[in-house]
Amino acid sequence: MSRQPLRLAIIEAVSVLEEAGVPSPRVDAELLAAHLLGIERTRLGLVPLVDPAMVDAYRAMVAQRAKRIPLQYITGTSPMGEIDLAVGPGVFVPRPETELVLGWALAFLEGYGRHNPVVLDLCTGSGALALAIAHARPDAVVHAVELEPKALAWARSNAQTRAREGDTPIVLHQGDVTDRTLLTALEGTVDVVVANPPYIPEGAVLEPEVADHDPHSALFGGPDGLSVIRPMVSNIARWLRIGGAAAVEHDDTNGAQVAELFAQRRVFGDVTEHPDLAGRPRFVVARRVPTDIEAHRARSVRSTTAE
Ligand SMILES: C[S@@+](CC[C@H](N)C(=O)[O-])C[C@H]1O[C@@H](n2cnc3c(N)ncnc32)[C@H](O)[C@@H]1O
C-alpha cells in the first residue's frame, strides 16, 4: 500500500478523540503521532507522508486514548523539570502544576546557599520531584518516601534509570508520611521538604483518566482533603532544620486551611500561599524558624564562645 498523508491521519484522530470527550483532542492526537514517530510535536509538519503500518499503529493508540486511558500511560512517560519519568498502571501521572513546586524548591536552594543540602520528597509516586531535584542539584542528598509498593516500584525503576544516566542516586524509603516515628534519623537535618500528597476531598467528581486510572490512594485525602497533610505537617516540623523550608501542594479549596496548619505551629514562619498558572491556590510554603527557647539557646552559645 502507498504512503499516506500524516495530516489526514491526525484529522481523523482528532475527530475520534473529540467524539470520546477527550478534553484536548488536537494536542493529544499530535502528541501521540509525535511519540510514534519519535520526534518533537513541533516537527510534525516536516513529515508529509507515513507508512500504512504507522497509520495502523497510530489508530490503535488513538483507540486506547478514546477509551480515556491517560495519554502518559500510552506513551509510557511524563516529564518533570528536565527529566522524563516512566509511568504506567499503579502510579500517579506527574502533573504540570507540580512543576511549580519544583521551581520553588530549586529557587529556594539557589538562594539558600548551603552545599550538599538535604532534600526530602514526601509521597514521591514515580519519584518525580525527588529525581528532578537530584538532576538539577547533583550536590543534594535527596530522600523520598512512598507508601504504596506499586508506586515505589516505579520510583525505584526511575531512580535506577536516572542513576544510569549519571544523576546522583536518591535514597528511597517505603513509609507512611503520617507516621510520627518515620525517619527519626533525619530529624532537624532537612533543608527542603517538597510534597504533592493525596489531597482531593473524598467524593469529588473527576475525569475518567483520573478516576479510573490514577490510584485511589494517590488522589484522595479524606473528607476534607487534609487527612494526609494534617499529620504530615507535624512531621515536617520534626524533619526541617532551622532556616529550612517546605512546600506542600494542596486542593484549590484548601489554600487557607493548609497555610493555617503551618501558621498554628510556632516552629513555622513566613507562611505563604502560592497560586498555580490558572490563579488557583495550589501550594503553601513555610519556613522553619527558631522557637523562643531555640533563639535564646543560640544567643547563649554565641555569647559563651565570644567570652
Ligand atoms: C498525588 S500523588 C503524587 C506523586 C508525586 N509526588 C508526583 O507529584 O507525581 C501522591 C502519592 O502519595 C502516596 N501516598 C499516599 N498516602 C501516603 C502516605 N500516607 N505516606 C506516603 N505516601 C503516600 C501515593 O501512593 C501517591 O504515590
Side-chain angles (χ1 to χ4, degrees):
M1 272 231 289
S2 58
R3 286 157 68 77
Q4 300 170 29
L6 175 62
R7 198 175 56 85
L8 292 186
I10 292 177
I11 289 172
E12 178 190 306
V14 173
S15 115
V16 170
L17 296 181
E18 224 161 29
E19 180 76 9
V22 170
S24 47
R26 171 152 295 276
V27 174
D28 284 24
E30 291 182 358
L31 285 172
L32 286 173
H35 171 74
L36 209 51
L37 292 164
I39 59 172
E40 296 287 322
R41 181 178 158 213
T42 49
R43 300 185 78 79
L44 285 172
L46 302 176
V47 184
L49 296 172
V50 287
D51 293 332
M54 186 285 168
V55 175
D56 288 346
Y58 183 52
R59 285 194 179 126
M61 276 186 154
V62 170
Q64 279 186 291
R65 185 70 189 97
K67 288 188 200 147
R68 307 298 295 269
I69 294 171
L71 176 86
Q72 298 85 348
Y73 278 12
I74 301 169
T75 61
T77 69
S78 183
M80 179 60 62
E82 298 285 307
I83 64 168
D84 284 325
L85 287 310
V87 292
V91 75
F92 180 85
V93 174
R95 305 291 205 272
E97 53 267 32
T98 305
E99 300 265 359
L100 297 174
V101 173
L102 172 66
W104 168 84
L106 296 180
F108 177 81
L109 285 170
E110 188 73 29
Y112 188 63
R114 182 187 285 271
H115 196 62
N116 302 126
V118 178
V119 176
L120 178 57
D121 174 19
L122 303 173
C123 301
T124 195
S126 61
L129 282 169
L131 292 167
I133 292 173
H135 178 76
R137 286 290 303 242
D139 64 319
V141 179
V142 181
H143 295 260
V145 181
E146 170 58 47
L147 180 63
E148 299 294 341
K150 277 189 185 164
L152 194 68
W154 283 99
R156 196 165 286 128
S157 156
N158 280 317
Q160 283 163 356
T161 305
R162 294 309 321 159
R164 271 198 305 276
E165 295 286 320
D167 287 354
T168 309
I170 65 167
V171 189
L172 277 169
H173 308 266
Q174 181 167 20
D176 180 346
V177 299
T178 69
D179 174 0
R180 294 188 67 87
T181 62
L182 180 70
L183 299 183
T184 47
L186 289 185
E187 279 177 15
T189 70
V190 176
D191 298 291
V192 170
V193 172
V194 287
N196 176 19
Y199 59 62
I200 300 172
E202 210 71 58
V205 178
L206 303 169
E207 293 283 356
E209 286 84 348
V210 181
D212 300 343
H213 296 280
D214 278 319
H216 186 274
S217 59
L219 299 174
F220 296 102
D224 61 358
L226 296 171
S227 65
V228 174
I229 293 179
R230 201 176 283 113
M232 192 177 77
V233 168
S234 305
N235 275 334
I236 292 173
R238 279 198 295 122
W239 288 317
L240 277 182
R241 80 159 65 222
I242 294 170
V248 174
E249 197 174 314
H250 56 72
D251 189 69
D252 58 7
T253 58
N254 269 335
Q257 288 81 345
V258 174
E260 183 56 22
L261 286 173
F262 279 103
Q264 276 166 4
R265 308 185 75 94
R266 281 177 308 132
V267 294
F268 292 120
D270 300 338
V271 179
T272 45
E273 294 181 42
H274 292 251
D276 60 22
L277 297 175
R280 291 177 299 232
R282 186 53 65 201
F283 69 101
V284 166
V285 168
R287 189 119 192 193
R288 171 68 166 90
V289 293
T291 59
D292 290 346
I293 295 172
E294 285 167 337
H296 177 73
R297 216 180 283 141
R299 275 196 302 274
S300 311
V301 171
R302 271 201 300 276
S303 62
T304 315
T305 41
E307 278 164 13

